[in-house]
Amino acid sequence: MLSQDRPVSSNPATQIASTVELVKSYARQETLGHLKGVGRWVGYGIVGSVALSIGIVLLVVGLLRLLQDVGADTFYGVWSIVPYLIALAVCALVVALALSRVQATDVHRASRR
């Protein structure tokens, strides 16, 4: 049975136009809501990552200055590179921790909201 709310037309141009309109409305319905959810998730992620990056850089520079100040008698001459290596190791640990927390399922979960 045909639907009562849509007029039946035998004109192929009208049928093609209605099919195109139906596909457009379906695409809008299925994509815009999901994209808004993912966009919000990405926006919060960018703001959070910028704030964390600034904080981590300040903490690592503070650690480096502390090691250079406290270890001035220990790290002199050739050993003056050790505070930099320690700061680099701390940065590598932070990156490893951040990468271990990234999960692909978070994107799928955010798009359903």
Side-chain angles (χ1 to χ4, degrees), residues 21-94:
E21 191 59 39
L22 180 67
V23 170
K24 283 183 184 178
S25 66
Y26 176 75
R28 278 189 215 111
Q29 171 188 342
E30 292 298 319
T31 58
L32 288 181
H34 298 294
L35 288 177
K36 286 180 185 176
V38 170
R40 190 177 311 118
W41 185 77
V42 168
Y44 287 142
I46 289 172
V47 170
S49 66
V50 167
L52 277 173
S53 298
I54 291 170
I56 290 169
V57 165
L58 290 174
L59 285 174
V60 170
V61 169
L63 172 68
L64 176 62
R65 293 297 298 148
L66 178 70
L67 288 172
Q68 288 175 337
D69 188 42
V70 172
D73 296 332
T74 307
F75 304 126
Y76 62 92
V78 177
W79 292 99
S80 64
I81 196 159
V82 172
Y84 293 99
L85 294 176
I86 293 172
L88 182 65
V90 169
C91 287
L93 286 173
V94 169

Side-chain angles (χ1 to χ4, degrees), residues 6 12-25:
R6 290 191 183 183
T14 306
Q15 288 178 349
I16 290 173
S18 79
T19 303
V20 168
E21 191 59 39
L22 180 67
V23 170
K24 283 183 184 178
S25 66

